[in-house]
């Protein structure tokens, strides 16, 4: 069993007690410690800025040409906090409970409560940074609702909240870069984790401009490299979002937790053809004022405006009267799929449902709706050439977020000492389904308010030998990186990297997507090794290693996806229950809701991949619920 290192005491006191009793590094000694932070999104940018301000010597690495291009910039709808400004009954406890319930009771109580506790500090921090949150007529911070909650707790900046929050973290980071306390390394991709005496002491990166392989040493390594949704090929993630940094750490011994927990977002622009390389998200915030519906008749191909009100099925409002269109994402996605499977989907493909704003425009006026969602409506029109002010949006579920990630304890440290993992790259806070507007909350909570304490605790409590890049472990890691590169370049096959990525993505979506079965997962576990075998026989990677080579970059990432995809299917097959976004058709209620098996699966699955290439080993962390009652989730 894994030790989560959760502090003793009542839930509401655990984080306070931890901070009161944790070991500290004095200011003069902080300057002697080197910290590597990989990733400059909300979690990584916030962590690097905060640790540097505390006095640590920080090296920050990002795959983009600028930290402000991190994928956190794409987040749209908002960030949760329990400030209860609308006075509608919110509290830290309610945010904690909604998050636990929204994750279908598959997350660690202590971590989730800590997240709810520090959420309010995040808003204060960001306002102080100048983040332009929306405000009401009187100038006070405004809130709106998101799925899985009956209160308005989401702070937002129109439909560009991630961008504004990232600019705040970026400003804090660049201030430290200017002071010389952070060394910034853009256009670097982490390709290996370096362990010395079992502890994380550095990384190997590829300079994406020159192709040079570089090594960097530190006293601790922080990974904040995002999720692995691009294993499906089509997702809402940016094209260069990948799992390589986390997967390299996994192959060095870091456990990968709950890999089958992937989130399908219900409001995305539907697939329009084989030419697409990614999908576009339409913020969940749109469900505040948009009504989801499909025609009542199967195969009804009339235009939306020609379908009378009494021939429309507002299925979420009908089925879930308490939450209506603001049910959690997994629930909304499954019901959209059910409607389309029933032959009532809209659009040419029949794989879409309507998100209709007519009633809101009539009630509030077009100017008010434009003020809330104008940039989202503009984006939709540019992509689809349809005016959502005049005709309903067409939406369909798509891969968006991954709740699984590297296993971490309460300190946000993996089972490898010295390797800390933040944000979407870890598994810790969202269980089997993430509530909307919680990703930004987790990233900034981890970076600004949690890791400064826990890194200090590790450094104060650990004897670290002096290590630099001349240590043999670094040269050995470079050999491993070069060997993988040479192998990919030497194949000289006939198929493109993208063709293998698409083939893997189709298998993952078909058998490990919105609905999963034992039979389908076994088929996937037969197909994926064959795709991987063919990849290493017939992939064509053009160019050389010692140069800018995007095909080589993609090939390395797809090679890792081919291994990660298999582990995801293995985890999904092993977990024969349904919970949140992991929906096994064999385990559902008569109403087609997820049916958990708490007596069998109330644990975190943490997988170890042995170095000898043998089958992955499952480790378990039992989930203990002392403060909430495990019940069948209901949003009716």
């Amino acid at each position: 069993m894994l030790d989560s290192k959760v502090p003793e005491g009542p839930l509401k006191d655990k984080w306070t007690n931890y901070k009161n009793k944790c070991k500290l590094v004095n200011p003069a000694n902080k300057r002697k410690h080197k910290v590597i932070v990989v990733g400059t999104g909300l979690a990584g940018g916030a962590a690097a800025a905060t640790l540097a301000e505390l006095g640590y010597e920080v090296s920050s690495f990002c795959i983009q040409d600028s930290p402000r291009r991190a994928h956190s910039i794409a987040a749209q709808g908002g960030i949760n906090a329990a400030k209860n400004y609308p006075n509608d009954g919110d509290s830290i406890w309610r945010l904690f409970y909604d998050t636990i319930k929204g994750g279908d009771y598959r997350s660690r109580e202590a971590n989730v409560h800590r997240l709810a506790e520090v959420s309010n500090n995040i808003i204060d921090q960001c306002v102080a940074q100048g983040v332009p949150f929306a405000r009401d007529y009187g100038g006070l911070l405004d809130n709106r609702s998101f799925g899985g909650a009956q209160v308005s707790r989401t702070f937002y900046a129109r439909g560009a909240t991630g961008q504004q929050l990232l600019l705040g973290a970026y400003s804090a980071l660049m201030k430290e870069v200017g002071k010389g306390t952070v060394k910034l390394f853009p256009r670097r991709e982490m390709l290996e984790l370096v362990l010395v005496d079992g502890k994380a002491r550095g990384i190997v990166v590829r300079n994406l401009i020159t192709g040079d392989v570089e090594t960097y040493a530190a006293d601790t390594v922080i990974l904040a490299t995002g999720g692995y949704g691009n294993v499906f090929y089509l997702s809402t993630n940016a094209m260069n979002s990948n799992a390589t940094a986390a997967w390299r750490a996994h192959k060095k011994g870091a456990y990968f937790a709950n890999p089958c927990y992937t989130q399908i977002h219900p409001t995305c622009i539907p697939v329009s053809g084989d030419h697409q390389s990614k999908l576009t998200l339409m913020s969940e915030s749109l469900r505040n004022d948009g009504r989801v519906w499909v025609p009542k008749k199967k195969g009804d191909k009339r235009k939306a405006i020609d379908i009378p009100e009494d021939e429309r099925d507002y299925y979420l409002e009908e089925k879930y009267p308490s939450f209506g269109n603001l049910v959690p994402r997994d629930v909304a996605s499954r019901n959209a799929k059910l409607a389309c499977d029933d032959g009532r989907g809209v659009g040419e493909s029949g794989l879409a449902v309507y998100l209709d704003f007519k009633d809101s425009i009539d009630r509030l006026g077009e100017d008010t709706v434009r003020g809330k969602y104008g940039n989202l409506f503009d984006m939709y029109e540019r992509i689809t050439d349809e005016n959502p002010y005049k005709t309903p949006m067409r939406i369909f579920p798509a891969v968006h977020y991954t709740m699984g990630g590297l296993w971490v304890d309460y300190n946000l440290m993996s089972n490898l000492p010295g390797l800390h993992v933040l944000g979407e790259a870890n598994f810790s806070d969202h269980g089997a389904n993430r509530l909307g507007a919680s990703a930004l909350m987790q990233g900034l909570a981890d970076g600004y308010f949690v890791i400064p304490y826990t890194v200090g605790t590790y450094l104060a409590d650990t004897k670290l030998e002096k290590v630099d890049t001349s240590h043999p472990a670094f040269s050995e890691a470079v050999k491993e990186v070069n060997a993988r590169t040479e192998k990919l370049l030497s194949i000289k096959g006939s198929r493109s990297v993208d063709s293998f990525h698409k083939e893997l993505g189709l298998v993952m979506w078909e058998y490990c997507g919105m609905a999963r079965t034992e039979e389908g997962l076994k088929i996937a576990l037969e197909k994926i090794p064959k795709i991987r075998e063919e990849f290493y026989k017939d992939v064509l990677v053009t160019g050389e290693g010692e140069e800018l080579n995007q095909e080589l970059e993609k090939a390395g990432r797809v090679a890792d996806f081919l291994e990660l995809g298999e582990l995801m299917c293995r985890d999904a097959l092993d977990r024969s229950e349904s919970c949140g976004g992991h929906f096994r058709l064999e385990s559902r209620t008569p109403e087609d809701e997820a049916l958990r098996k708490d007596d069998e699966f109330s644990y975190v699955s943490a997988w170890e991949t042995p170095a000898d290439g043998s089958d992955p080993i499952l480790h378990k962390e039992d989930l203990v619920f002392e403060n909430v009652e495990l019940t069948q989730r209901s949003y009716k």
Side-chain angles (χ1 to χ4, degrees), residues 389-451:
Y389 295 102
K390 305 300 181 185
T391 186
M393 288 183 179
R394 287 177 293 110
I395 57 169
F396 193 68
V399 174
H400 177 55
Y401 188 91
T402 49
M403 284 77 67
L406 294 182
W407 182 87
V408 292
D409 61 19
Y410 190 75
N411 298 289
L412 301 184
M413 188 163 72
S414 76
N415 58 295
L416 296 179
L419 177 65
H420 294 81
V421 190
L422 313 186
E424 191 179 357
N426 75 32
F427 87 99
S428 67
D429 290 1
H430 306 297
N433 173 66
R434 178 176 68 78
L435 291 183
S438 288
L440 306 186
M441 176 173 61
Q442 185 207 354
L444 291 179
D446 288 355
Y448 282 138
F449 298 109
V450 178
I451 199 64

Side-chain angles (χ1 to χ4, degrees), residues 85 123-124 126-144 154-158 371-372:
Y85 283 170
I123 305 304
D124 296 339
C126 294
V127 169
Q129 289 175 336
V131 173
F133 286 123
R135 294 177 180 268
D136 64 20
Y137 183 78
L140 302 177
L141 291 176
D142 200 9
N143 290 110
R144 59 188 177 198
T154 304
F155 295 79
Y156 65 98
R158 214 176 187 186
K372 288 183 175 182

Side-chain angles (χ1 to χ4, degrees), residues 562-578:
L562 284 164
E563 295 181 358
L564 172 56
E566 184 174 351
L567 183 65
M568 292 168 65
C569 293
R570 188 183 291 268
D571 187 43
L573 180 63
D574 182 76
R575 190 175 287 274
S576 63
E577 67 167 354
S578 288

